[in-house]
Amino acid sequence: MTSITGIILAISLFIIMAGMGLSLAVQDFKRVVAYPKAALVGMVSQLILLPSIAFLIAYVLALPPMVAIGIMLIASCPGGATSNMISFLAKGDLALSISLTAIASLLSFLTIPVIMNFAFNFFLKESQPMTLDFVATLKQLFVIIIVPVLLGMFINKKFPEFAFRIEKPVKKASMVLFILVVAGVTYSNRNEFFEYFDQAGLPSILLNILTMTAGYVLAVLFKLPKNQAITISIETGIQNGTLAITIATLLLQKPEYTIVPLTYSLLMFFTAGIVIAFRKRSKESEIII
């Protein structure tokens, strides 16, 4: 990957994360304290269920190290603005979605190094040693995750009218940037992508379906309302692919680890579309009845 591509990727992620921050306020974090049950279930689903399922898939399928690391990488990333949009379209609890995304994003700069160092130690052979410098990685993730989110929140607090005017355009731009990033990185790594797509496709779709199902089932077991269960399902199964791609290319300097995040980023929209269609149909049925 060229330095220019890396700069564009970093700028794209910064805009995407700042755009998410524009829709956040301190109240979003206070809401978690006011309604702890749904937030706690959602965080357990994202921070424990998601990487655990990813590890089981990689282990049971005996995936090649490159694919196994990619699965763990996408599983270590939080949801993003995409999960908020999908939760809204699927008639979920948007406030809960935003809160979970915010908390998971803020915690991810701590959890990503832990999960990835575990993945490196477990899946890479002794001839391929690799670890993340914990402190250095924290600093880098702080810059690419926390700083833009806090900047967006600052603008929202100090200039609410301006933030309101630019929030939708920035979110639309974020979606366009996300699509361009996926397309660009896919093209840059097209040889490796098509070579390993058959190996990455099955684990990616399994991870997506199993995590969305597990998130929903966990929410139902804790007797949460259906709209909150849908939101937790989406937050567990829809990941920030741009962040995973950025980590692989800029922090790890391993573009080959983007194969799974790229595949996952493409496939997750199909399952999300099914959920949205199902929810809209069920809502229409309720209105007819």
Side-chain angles (χ1 to χ4, degrees):
M1 175 168 288
T2 66
S3 58
I4 295 177
T5 305
I7 292 171
I8 294 173
L9 182 56
I11 292 173
S12 299
L13 180 64
F14 192 94
I15 293 173
I16 290 170
M17 299 306 290
M20 188 179 75
L22 286 172
S23 62
L24 296 177
V26 176
Q27 293 92 312
D28 294 311
F29 299 95
K30 290 181 178 178
R31 189 185 300 113
V32 173
V33 178
Y35 305 98
K37 184 178 177 181
L40 183 59
V41 171
M43 294 314 299
V44 168
S45 188
Q46 280 187 285
L47 298 179
I48 298 177
L49 272 183
L50 174 57
S52 298
I53 291 172
F55 172 76
L56 287 174
I57 290 173
Y59 181 75
V60 171
L61 295 182
L63 297 176
M66 186 187 73
V67 179
I69 296 297
I71 282 286
M72 296 303 294
L73 176 58
I74 191 67
S76 71
C77 292
T82 305
S83 65
N84 300 154
M85 177 193 70
I86 292 172
S87 184
F88 171 74
L89 293 175
K91 311 297 182 184
D93 186 329
L94 184 58
L96 176 63
S97 176
I98 293 172
S99 298
L100 290 175
T101 298
I103 296 171
S105 296
L106 293 178
L107 289 177
S108 64
F109 91 107
L110 292 171
T111 57
I112 288 173
V114 173
I115 293 172
M116 292 313 298
N117 273 326
F118 167 78
F120 292 143
N121 291 329
F122 191 92
F123 292 110
L124 291 182
K125 299 175 182 178
E126 292 182 2
S127 59
Q128 303 171 296
M130 185 173 185
T131 57
L132 280 174
D133 184 315
F134 192 80
V135 176
T137 304
L138 287 184
K139 291 178 181 177
Q140 291 171 313
L141 290 175
F142 184 84
V143 172
I144 65 176
I145 298 175
I146 308 299
V147 171
V149 171
L150 292 180
L151 176 62
M153 291 180 67
F154 174 79
I155 294 173
N156 187 23
K157 181 176 177 59
K158 294 296 184 180
F159 311 101
E161 292 184 3
F162 175 70
F164 179 77
R165 287 201 306 271
I166 68 171
E167 182 183 347
K168 286 187 177 180
V170 169
K171 283 190 174 182
K172 289 180 180 179
S174 296
M175 287 302 302
V176 173
L177 284 171
F178 174 77
I179 294 170
L180 290 176
V181 164
V182 171
V185 177
T186 301
Y187 181 78
S188 299
N189 299 279
R190 56 191 179 279
N191 293 331
E192 294 86 354
F193 180 78
F194 290 111
E195 180 181 352
Y196 288 97
F197 179 79
D198 58 332
Q199 297 181 53
L202 177 60
S204 293
I205 195 66
L206 278 177
L207 180 65
N208 183 238
I209 293 174
L210 291 177
T211 52
M212 291 186 76
T213 302
Y216 186 84
V217 170
L218 185 65
V220 170
L221 288 175
F222 278 88
K223 299 180 180 180
L224 294 177
K226 181 173 285 188
N227 65 332
Q228 291 187 340
I230 289 292
T231 293
I232 290 172
S233 171
I234 292 169
E235 287 293 321
T236 309
I238 303 300
Q239 306 309 312
N240 191 334
T242 308
L243 177 58
I245 293 167
T246 303
I247 292 172
T249 54
L250 299 185
L251 272 64
L252 301 178
Q253 298 291 310
K254 292 283 187 179
E256 60 269 25
Y257 289 157
T258 63
I259 304 302
V260 172
L262 286 169
T263 305
Y264 194 92
S265 296
L266 294 171
L267 293 174
M268 70 182 187
F269 283 106
F270 289 100
T271 52
I274 293 171
V275 172
I276 292 169
F278 176 78
R279 286 288 290 167
K280 284 188 175 181
R281 185 173 180 179
S282 64
K283 286 290 182 180
E284 291 171 358
S285 299
E286 290 174 9
I287 293 173
I288 292 173
I289 293 173

